[in-house]
Amino acid sequence: MATPLNYESILSRFDELVAKKAVFYADRKTIQLEDAGFALEFHISPSLTKKPQDGDPVSGHEDPHATTKPECFGPGSDIGNSDPGLLLATIRGTHLLVVNKFCMFRPQLLLLTSDSYRRQREALDVHDLEAACAVLSELGERPLFVIYNCGPVGGASRQHKHLQVLPRPPRLFPDERGFEEKSVPFRYFLRYLDVVDIGASEGYGKVFKAYTALLAEAKQALGIDPASEEYFPHNVALVKEWIIVIPRQSADVEGITANAPGMLGSVWLTSDEQFEQWKQVGPRKVLAGLGYPSI
């Protein structure tokens, strides 16, 4: 990054985009709930109502009579670039840091591959994690985390490969070293980064090594060849202190969906009705079905 990122400048840009309605963001309601020892926060906001789902066209692409198509972040991208202010920075020459158009939090950012033909079904590579570590390091004065939803089964709604950068929830179960493993309803693969400085020149390589090891462990535990390059749906969350891989077997349980933050207990909803559905089915049952039930 030629120019260091500045969090206050990002907030200012975010607010400008919201004011001109280039970004959808609204006040949210938060409800805390615990299910047999697993803590959850449900965030409810209408800002995600217009968010495209997997397979949906970019806004405007669905009009067969349109003479021009909406601009995206590259010829292979399905992520709309409707305002030049969405682009914040180029990261390490391989990724674009942009403001997400559909936001639950202030701010909510995307880290897109500069190569718009890269796809969300791919595993993360060393450049993805280099860019993620660079952003976390540059904005280190703020509690942020990076997540990745690998493919539609992992909760992704777009095909252009991207990570997300978000304000870090106040409570995530890996934060407590002595957490009760039986309280987590799904299988996960976790590595603490005690000896890794993600801001150091060699830090991202160590994070990538940890990620590839966790991915191999997850595949092997599920009876999949660790060397297989077939699509392996999973979620990833990265903070300075740890990285976690959560294998996924389903995109929904009884119509209920969740992305990486949702698997960690930060669930994003658009209505009170969706929250009631979560309560009716049961959060533990939902998360165990989206992932693989804990042994």
Side-chain angles (χ1 to χ4, degrees):
M1 288 173 291
T3 303
L5 297 174
N6 180 279
Y7 191 77
E8 295 304 321
S9 296
I10 290 174
L11 282 181
S12 178
R13 177 78 65 85
F14 181 87
D15 292 341
E16 291 173 2
L17 291 165
V18 171
K20 63 195 295 190
K21 298 183 179 181
V23 164
F24 295 95
Y25 172 72
D27 291 337
R28 68 181 183 276
K29 176 169 65 175
T30 298
I31 303 172
Q32 296 183 339
L33 183 70
E34 187 169 303
D35 187 355
F38 190 80
L40 301 103
E41 281 191 342
F42 292 87
H43 302 285
I44 306 172
S45 171
S47 61
L48 301 185
T49 304
K50 295 184 179 182
K51 183 177 185 293
Q53 301 305 307
D54 179 52
D56 288 349
V58 178
S59 178
H61 279 214
E62 68 275 16
D63 182 0
H65 304 295
T67 56
T68 60
K69 298 297 183 182
E71 184 177 351
C72 292
F73 286 95
S77 179
D78 61 348
I79 296 177
N81 182 12
S82 59
D83 190 291
L86 291 171
L87 178 61
L88 297 170
T90 298
I91 311 297
R92 294 291 195 264
T94 61
H95 289 72
L96 305 176
L97 185 65
V98 308
V99 178
N100 194 334
K101 289 186 63 175
F102 306 93
C103 299
M104 181 64 75
F105 303 100
R106 172 184 180 265
Q108 193 162 333
L109 312 176
L110 298 177
L111 197 52
L112 314 175
T113 54
S114 298
D115 179 352
S116 61
Y117 291 100
R118 298 294 299 275
R119 288 295 173 254
Q120 197 71 5
R121 296 167 65 94
E122 303 171 17
L124 296 175
D125 64 22
V126 68
H127 301 297
D128 296 320
L129 286 166
E130 179 182 7
C133 288
V135 172
L136 285 178
S137 178
E138 285 282 343
L139 300 175
E141 76 279 5
R142 299 289 179 160
L144 301 172
F145 78 136
V146 175
I147 63 105
Y148 183 61
N149 303 314
C150 186
V153 178
S157 61
R158 300 286 84 185
Q159 295 186 48
H160 182 175
K161 192 178 188 184
H162 63 281
L163 302 93
Q164 296 188 50
V165 184
L166 307 158
R168 182 172 174 173
R171 182 181 178 187
L172 297 170
F173 72 84
D175 291 337
E176 299 293 334
R177 295 291 185 111
F179 71 88
E180 178 56 57
E181 294 185 16
K182 292 182 180 179
S183 69
V184 183
F186 51 84
R187 302 190 72 175
Y188 62 89
F189 299 84
L190 173 66
R191 187 69 48 85
Y192 288 99
L193 305 173
D194 295 326
V195 296
V196 179
D197 178 2
I198 65 169
S201 58
E202 72 280 2
Y204 70 87
K206 294 179 179 179
V207 174
F208 177 66
K209 184 177 180 180
Y211 166 71
T212 54
L214 292 173
L215 200 60
E217 289 174 26
K219 290 180 178 180
Q220 189 166 26
L222 298 172
I224 299 170
D225 180 2
S228 171
E229 295 185 1
E230 293 295 318
Y231 171 48
F232 181 70
H234 63 284
N235 296 125
V236 182
L238 169 68
V239 297
K240 291 181 178 181
E241 298 84 8
W242 49 262
I243 183 171
I244 192 169
V245 169
I246 303 169
R248 293 286 296 268
Q249 67 171 331
S250 179
D252 74 90
V253 171
E254 298 187 31
I256 300 174
T257 64
N259 57 6
M263 297 299 292
L264 290 169
S266 178
V267 184
W268 307 349
L269 307 175
T270 60
S271 67
D272 291 330
E273 290 75 18
Q274 288 184 336
F275 174 64
E276 292 302 321
Q277 188 178 11
W278 269 85
K279 288 202 301 181
Q280 181 177 359
V281 177
R284 293 186 66 87
K285 179 180 178 181
V286 171
L287 295 175
L290 293 173
Y292 289 84
S294 55
I295 298 175

